[in-house]
């Protein structure tokens, strides 16, 4: 499915198209795509809320497939191996941020399904160093949401500073939050979920949320940490209102509507607001290992590739529980 001109998901911005089969270059592998998860970032790309970096482009950055070609010098994978592909396609390895061990902030980073073609297609090219082995216990479709929703959620959880016995707030309950909830429970956090959709509330309860309610009403007790998944600026203030002194609100989204002006008292008391940008390869490896160990159960709805526009529209209107995943066959 190819994006040429961004427009609202309901207007079917993605069209089926034929593109020549790519050949892996130096250090790269080609992955025959079996499934590709649909992420909120894909929605921002197809609707033009993020500027296009490549035109046309094939979106999709939660790919699970089988390696069917190995370029010269590519290490760690052979033909027939199962491989996962995530948002971070490559880095320069040499900029100030890469040298500081923050490759997620690399100034020359390229992203899958944005700077290079992604997984809403039959095959995808990735540097072998930026591909991942998928733990055997996961099926293709159950692994797909781990690759962005899981990885970014996991990084957000780390940056929120939440630890054992802490009260953690999750604002919004989609693909990412339903994975983070399980990891946070495993870590011994008490998880408070803020979401309006009845189906999302039900899923949060089923997965072990300590409390489920509305962002406006606030939690029954102060939170030690919070993660905002919903791309709505006013929610940042709701989260700050619920947060204890010294606590952190981590913002997991790649875009957000403007954050309203606020009184200094909301953030005073050494409260911290920080964004989360992309992920490192280490984040992805840790998350995959942890997800297998817990084990995390992903709630997945499978769709044929041709339905990509509909899945994006459903995601936009919170009509998907858990994660939407496209099947390519
Ligand atoms: Zn760099
Ligand atoms: Zn994503």
């Amino acid at each position: 499915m190819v994006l040429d001109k961004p427009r609202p998901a309901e207007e079917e911005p993605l069209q089926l198209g034929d593109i020549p089969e790519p050949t892996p270059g130096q250090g790269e592998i080609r992955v025959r795509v079996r499934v590709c998860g649909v992420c909120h970032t894909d929605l921002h790309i197809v609707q033009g809320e993020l500027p296009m970096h490549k035109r046309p482009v094939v979106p999709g950055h939660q790919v699970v497939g089988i390696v069917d070609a190995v370029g010269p010098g590519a290490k760690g994978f052979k033909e027939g191996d199962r491989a996962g592909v995530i948002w971070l396609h490559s880095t320069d390895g040499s900029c100030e941020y890469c040298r500081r061990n923050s490759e997620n902030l690399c100034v020359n980073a390229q992203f899958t399904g944005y700077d290079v073609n992604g997984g809403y297609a039959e095959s995808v090219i990735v540097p072998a160093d930026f591909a991942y082995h998928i733990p055997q216990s996961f099926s293709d479709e159950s692994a797909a949401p781990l690759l962005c929703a899981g990885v970014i959620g996991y990084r957000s959880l780390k940056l929120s500073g939440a630890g054992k016995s802490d009260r953690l707030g999750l604002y919004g309950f989609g693909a990412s939050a339903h994975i983070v909830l399980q990891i946070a429970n495993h870590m011994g956090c008490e998880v408070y979920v803020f979401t309006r959709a009845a189906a999302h509330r039900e899923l949060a309860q089923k997965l072990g949320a300590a409390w489920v309610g509305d962002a406006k009403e606030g939690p029954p007790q102060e939170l030690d940490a919070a993660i905002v998944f919903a791309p709505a600026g006013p929610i940042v203030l709701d989260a700050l209102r619920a947060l204890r002194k010294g606590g952190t609100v981590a913002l997991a989204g790649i875009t957000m509507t403007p954050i309203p002006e606020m009184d200094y008292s909301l953030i005073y008391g050494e409260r911290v607001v920080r964004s989360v940008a992309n992920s490192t390869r280490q984040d992805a490896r840790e998350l995959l290992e942890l997800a297998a160990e817990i084990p995390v159960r992903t709630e997945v709805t499978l769709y044929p590739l041709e339905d990509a526009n509909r899945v994006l529209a459903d995601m936009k209107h919170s009509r998907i529980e858990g994660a939407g995943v496209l099947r390519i066959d």
Side-chain angles (χ1 to χ4, degrees):
M1 296 293 269
V2 180
L3 175 71
D4 190 44
K5 192 171 174 297
R7 52 184 187 272
E10 298 81 354
E11 294 174 22
E12 311 207 330
L14 293 170
Q15 298 296 322
L16 274 178
D18 270 323
I19 42 176
E21 183 161 73
T23 311
Q26 182 72 30
E28 294 177 332
I29 54 175
R30 185 175 65 207
V31 179
R32 172 79 42 198
V33 182
R34 279 180 167 172
V35 298
C36 184
V38 179
C39 174
H40 238 95
T41 299
D42 302 338
L43 181 62
H44 295 312
I45 292 170
V46 304
Q47 299 204 129
E49 289 137 4
L50 290 171
M52 279 193 100
H53 277 192
K54 173 186 183 304
R55 189 175 164 187
V57 68
V58 177
H61 56 269
Q62 303 186 92
V63 178
V64 180
I66 299 295
V67 177
D68 73 346
V70 176
K75 291 195 178 62
F77 288 89
K78 58 182 189 315
E79 276 184 43
D81 283 353
R82 188 160 71 146
V85 181
I86 74 170
W87 174 240
L88 187 68
H89 169 85
S90 62
T91 60
D92 59 14
S94 59
C95 76
E96 178 189 348
Y97 296 100
C98 285
R99 290 201 312 267
R100 281 171 191 272
N101 223 359
S102 303
E103 66 179 2
N104 58 307
L105 304 177
C106 175
V107 292
N108 292 307
Q110 295 215 301
F111 299 106
T112 313
Y114 191 45
D115 297 297
V116 298
N117 282 340
Y120 291 11
E122 284 155 335
S123 57
V124 65
I125 297 281
V126 62
D129 286 348
F130 287 81
Y132 302 86
H133 291 281
I134 306 287
Q136 280 203 337
S137 50
F138 290 102
S139 67
D140 297 335
E141 60 266 32
S142 63
L146 296 173
L147 297 172
C148 186
V151 173
I152 298 294
Y154 174 64
R155 184 173 178 84
S156 305
L157 180 60
K158 285 203 289 189
L159 295 187
S160 79
K164 194 169 165 44
S165 307
D166 279 349
R167 287 185 293 271
L168 169 71
L170 304 180
Y171 289 79
F173 198 73
S176 197
H178 96 286
I179 296 172
V180 170
L181 168 56
Q182 298 173 63
I183 300 171
N185 273 343
H186 178 78
M187 283 167 50
C189 296
E190 212 169 82
V191 185
Y192 293 67
V193 173
F194 302 83
T195 182
R196 263 177 292 188
H200 290 185
R201 288 187 171 191
E202 206 172 295
L203 179 59
Q205 257 150 357
K206 194 177 97 184
L207 293 174
W211 178 90
V212 179
D214 193 276
K216 288 280 169 271
E217 76 184 82
Q221 282 176 291
E222 277 191 323
L223 302 174
D224 298 296
I227 305 172
V228 176
F229 295 99
I235 294 185
V236 179
L237 272 49
D238 293 334
L240 276 170
R241 274 184 208 102
L243 195 70
R244 69 155 166 82
K245 287 191 279 190
T248 296
V249 177
L251 313 179
I254 191 167
T255 68
M256 184 175 274
T257 60
I259 301 173
E261 194 174 275
M262 62 177 158
D263 285 335
Y264 183 51
S265 59
L266 258 192
I267 195 164
Y268 187 66
E270 303 194 343
R271 290 172 180 86
V272 176
V273 175
R274 68 182 302 177
S275 66
V276 179
N278 318 313
S279 63
T280 65
R281 281 173 279 180
Q282 187 60 24
D283 292 328
R285 291 186 201 111
E286 285 175 17
L287 178 273
L288 287 170
E289 195 177 322
L290 187 60
E293 178 193 315
I294 293 176
V296 168
R297 292 190 187 285
T298 53
E299 200 79 17
V300 168
T301 312
L302 265 177
Y303 303 82
L305 175 64
E306 305 78 72
D307 282 5
N309 289 304
R310 182 165 68 87
V311 185
L312 287 163
D314 283 354
M315 174 186 277
K316 181 175 173 180
H317 299 290
S318 296
R319 288 192 297 244
I320 296 180
E321 279 90 72
V325 173
L326 300 170
R327 194 184 64 237
I328 291 106
D329 47 25

